[in-house]
Amino acid sequence: MARVDTDIETIASDNNIAAINEKGGFEAPEIYGFPLLLAANAIDYLPFVRQKVASDALLFKLRERNDILDHPTTLPIPLDYINPVKDVQVDSHEVPKLNSDHRSKSPFLSFWDYHQAYSQFKTTPTKVAENLTIQLDNSKHMNWMRFYTKDLMEQAEASTERYRQHAPLSQMDGVFVTIKEEMDVKGLETKLGTSFINDGKPAVEDATLVAKLRQAGAIIMGSTVMNELGWDTFTVNPNTGMPKNPYGPLNSCGGSSGGSGGCVAGGLFPVSIGADGGGSIRIPSSFCGLYGLKTTYARVSAYGGAPIDPSLGSYGPLAATADDMALTYSIIAGPDPKDPCSLLQPPVSLKDYDKYEELSDLTVAVFPDWARDLVEPAILEKLDVFRDYLVQLGARIVEIEIPDLDIASQAHTLTICSEMLNFASRFETNHRNFLAHTRLMAGAASALDGRDFVRAQQVRTRMMNHLRRIFDEQKVDLILCPTTAIVSPEIPEKAHAYGMSNAKLTIRSMIFCMLGNLTGIPALNVPAGFHEGMPIGLQFMTKWWNEALLCRIAKACERIPNIERKLPDANQWFADKLLL
């Protein structure tokens, strides 16, 4: 035991303790490769190491805040935003048909390209499935996909027949879609990035959102690579290989929906479904130059999704264009009797979606001092460009303050660590089969107790009330901020064998995302150009259930002049031969 303790001290020294001096000084070592495995062993066997790691990570900080007297909240939907269950019409939702006169302008393939090619009989879903299979093989080294559906050709042939009969189910009929591997796809093992969960136990039915996509004619290709249990934001996963960013193969796709971001940015698919408990849709969308929508809590049914972070997580699309995002959202959203929380929502719509050239009805808020010292300056420059363009379209820009953001971040961290530990503890007999980073996080989380979780939910209540005042009393429609404080970083080669733990990078990737998960509001990433060859993303947030406004603002941002949207280099781009 003494030997392990000595190794931990050496690790900390060798890797230079990285600190973020933000309101109290967060300290944690940067650990890569085999030393991470040693650290995981230490935290498994030495209780004082768990306490030290948790304390250094400020996980006990809220214990000092005895002035927080708010009532705890675990359902992140305000009471006056809850729709009466008796008014819910489960089967009444129809998929909208987008107007081709207003189609997205993008160098990427969109559902429009597939739908038009099929409708004009230039190709068929069956032929595209054959082409896609070839390109999937060519892109295997990018580590985006984990499992493939066995009935791909049957799905494609059924879609081909519908087009032959001039009867597609929707504009998404025949469009190929992938699913993050924490959602059930019938016939596939839902492994959540691990090497052992659901081994030999394929899902016997689809998650509700997967079933809805099939009902719209979408072809489910398979599942995408993710962080193990979603417990980080860079998808450095030795079980599967790290998904490579099409804009820089040494760089991260983000996470935890990293494979979803990569396979869309690389041109294989116009859309992939991700899950977001702390930025896991928005971060890969930002790192990969995509549109990404984290929906309101319970807007999309969680049935068939793993309950990793049940009070924080939401599902939504990562998409090549605003139209792909909006149409996919409108398909997967809506009430589901199998998920009672989803019955609390109002009707789904894309209200005013095509009103993107005139925004005089909107007030957009910015908070200039929010974590400004942590943000890459190039990101702030793009934010100024977007702000000026919104003014040109008639939007009113106001500056606001969001109180208590420091404790909101702590509350989110406490909540997600507690919920993920609760999920991981179901597999106690396989604990040593988790990756080193997962074991390290689980060990730190095990130092928490009930008072930490309750205090975090008290902070959740406070932050929800702050946002209600901003949206309802100050009449703010949207909050504009960075999505991440960084562009996608290069991941050292030494991280690939055993993984990595770099809290400094994790915090800078998540710092603007956590508020949306803690409070349940919807949030959007939009592409905002590039910095040193890597994509930049900006985030819009709005009040509960107002995804229609986020879709509208995404459409407006798609047309901002002088914001580059470019394809990856040819050897990381796999779309050119799909529609031949």
Side-chain angles (χ1 to χ4, degrees):
M1 287 298 187
R3 171 61 184 158
V4 176
D5 188 29
T6 302
D7 285 339
I8 289 296
E9 292 177 0
T10 303
I11 292 164
S13 174
D14 289 348
N15 287 278
N16 298 321
I17 298 297
I20 297 177
N21 294 316
E22 184 196 18
K23 296 190 181 292
F26 176 89
E27 293 187 357
E30 297 178 20
I31 314 177
Y32 300 89
F34 187 68
L36 181 62
L37 185 61
L38 296 178
N41 290 337
I43 207 166
D44 277 348
Y45 293 113
L46 299 174
F48 77 87
V49 175
R50 298 174 207 161
Q51 294 290 324
K52 180 68 165 64
V53 171
S55 178
D56 287 350
L58 304 183
L59 295 185
F60 303 143
K61 193 70 175 174
L62 283 184
R63 294 179 183 179
E64 303 169 7
R65 293 295 305 270
N66 292 324
D67 59 309
I68 299 175
L69 302 176
D70 309 71
H71 189 82
T73 296
T74 55
L75 177 66
I77 305 170
L79 292 178
D80 51 352
Y81 279 79
I82 291 177
N83 196 54
V85 174
K86 64 181 177 60
D87 296 338
V88 171
Q89 298 180 15
V90 174
D91 298 321
S92 63
H93 176 54
E94 293 185 5
V95 177
K97 186 176 182 179
L98 300 192
N99 186 341
S100 61
D101 292 339
H102 298 275
R103 64 177 291 176
S104 288
K105 297 180 179 179
S106 171
F108 288 79
L109 286 182
S110 165
F111 80 84
W112 289 111
D113 299 291
Y114 290 85
H115 185 61
Q116 181 176 311
Y118 300 153
S119 298
Q120 297 176 358
F121 300 103
K122 294 180 178 179
T123 188
T124 67
T126 301
K127 177 59 177 174
V128 175
E130 294 169 352
N131 295 340
L132 182 57
T133 300
I134 295 171
Q135 292 300 79
L136 285 166
D137 190 57
N138 292 338
S139 64
K140 273 187 176 179
H141 65 286
M142 301 300 283
N143 301 324
W144 297 328
M145 298 292 298
R146 185 152 195 191
F147 299 119
Y148 300 101
T149 52
K150 296 180 175 60
D151 65 342
L152 173 65
M153 295 312 298
E154 290 88 341
Q155 293 182 70
E157 288 164 7
S159 179
T160 296
E161 180 58 27
R162 290 192 292 270
Y163 275 99
R164 188 178 294 122
Q165 299 294 330
H166 301 279
L169 297 174
S170 76
Q171 292 169 316
M172 281 290 286
D173 203 332
V175 177
F176 297 80
V177 177
T178 56
I179 310 294
K180 184 181 182 182
E181 66 157 335
E182 69 178 76
M183 289 160 270
D184 287 345
V185 176
K186 185 177 180 180
L188 301 185
E189 296 173 357
T190 310
K191 299 190 74 68
L192 297 94
T194 71
S195 62
F196 62 89
I197 291 178
N198 290 320
D199 246 355
K201 299 177 181 177
V204 296
E205 65 175 326
D206 289 325
T208 293
L209 68 83
V210 176
K212 287 186 172 186
L213 286 165
R214 290 193 198 271
Q215 290 163 12
I219 298 174
I220 307 302
M221 186 72 229
S223 56
T224 56
V225 167
M226 60 180 284
N227 270 100
E228 188 175 69
L229 301 189
W231 218 334
D232 202 11
T233 58
F234 302 105
T235 318
V236 178
N237 188 338
N239 292 326
T240 59
M242 184 190 83
K244 298 176 183 179
N245 194 308
Y247 292 98
L250 300 179
N251 296 64
S252 169
C253 283
S256 59
S257 309
S260 291
C263 70
V264 176
L268 289 172
F269 309 97
V271 67
S272 182
I273 305 299
D276 190 318
S280 293
I281 289 171
R282 291 160 287 163
I283 294 167
S285 295
S286 177
F287 283 5
C288 293
L290 305 172
Y291 293 86
L293 180 63
K294 172 226 167 295
T295 54
T296 304
Y297 179 81
R299 179 59 112 170
V300 176
S301 172
Y303 182 79
I308 301 173
D309 43 16
S311 79
L312 298 167
S314 301
Y315 302 98
L318 297 83
T321 73
D323 284 355
D324 289 286
M325 182 191 77
L327 184 60
T328 303
Y329 156 71
S330 71
I331 291 170
I332 65 175
D336 174 20
K338 295 178 180 178
D339 177 4
C341 288
S342 75
L343 302 179
L344 305 177
Q345 64 181 285
V348 176
S349 82
L350 291 178
K351 182 177 179 290
D352 296 331
Y353 181 60
D354 290 333
K355 294 183 179 179
Y356 52 83
E357 295 181 333
E358 212 282 325
L359 303 179
S360 62
D361 57 322
L362 298 182
T363 297
V364 181
V366 294
F367 183 12
D369 292 335
W370 186 0
R372 191 175 185 89
D373 57 328
L374 297 180
V375 182
E376 163 60 50
I379 297 174
L380 297 177
E381 292 173 7
K382 297 299 185 184
L383 192 148
D384 289 340
V385 172
F386 272 61
R387 184 176 59 190
D388 292 345
Y389 181 71
L390 296 178
V391 170
Q392 291 178 32
L393 296 184
R396 175 173 171 258
I397 304 294
V398 298
E399 292 190 4
I400 60 168
E401 290 189 8
I402 306 175
D404 295 317
L405 284 171
D406 55 338
I407 60 173
S409 297
Q410 294 166 15
H412 176 272
T413 301
L414 291 174
T415 304
I416 200 165
C417 285
S418 298
E419 294 183 352
M420 286 187 160
L421 176 63
N422 174 65
F423 182 84
S425 66
R426 298 168 56 188
F427 308 98
E428 193 63 36
T429 57
N430 275 295
H431 176 76
R432 298 279 295 176
N433 292 327
F434 281 121
L435 294 173
H437 176 266
T438 305
R439 290 164 52 204
L440 193 67
M441 296 299 293
S446 69
L448 301 173
D449 60 30
R451 61 184 154 163
D452 301 302
F453 185 80
V454 172
R455 185 64 55 83
Q457 308 324 300
Q458 291 178 288
V459 174
R460 190 202 296 256
T461 302
R462 180 175 293 192
M463 298 312 299
M464 290 171 65
N465 286 334
H466 288 328
L467 290 181
R468 285 180 64 196
R469 283 189 282 272
I470 290 170
F471 292 130
D472 296 342
E473 297 177 16
Q474 299 180 37
K475 304 301 181 184
V476 166
D477 298 296
L478 292 159
I479 298 171
L480 169 62
C481 63
T483 300
T484 63
I486 55 174
V487 296
S488 170
E490 285 192 13
I491 303 300
E493 182 65 31
K494 59 186 177 180
H496 290 214
Y498 293 102
M500 75 177 207
S501 178
N502 188 328
K504 181 177 180 180
L505 283 180
T506 299
I507 291 296
R508 291 185 73 194
S509 69
M510 292 179 66
I511 194 161
F512 294 103
C513 291
M514 293 185 279
L515 180 64
N517 296 99
L518 185 68
T519 60
I521 60 173
L524 162 76
N525 177 76
V526 295
F530 293 82
H531 173 60
E532 297 181 348
M534 300 308 296
I536 290 172
L538 295 177
Q539 179 176 214
F540 289 91
M541 296 181 283
T542 190
K543 64 183 179 182
W544 298 265
W545 310 127
N546 203 8
E547 288 87 354
L549 179 56
L550 294 180
C551 291
R552 178 186 173 196
I553 202 69
K555 188 82 163 176
C557 292
E558 205 167 40
R559 287 162 166 74
I560 293 183
N562 303 318
I563 293 293
E564 186 178 17
R565 192 91 196 280
K566 64 182 180 181
L567 301 179
D569 291 343
N571 57 345
Q572 277 94 242
W573 175 248
F574 300 94
D576 287 342
K577 298 180 180 180
L578 293 182
L579 294 181
L580 296 180

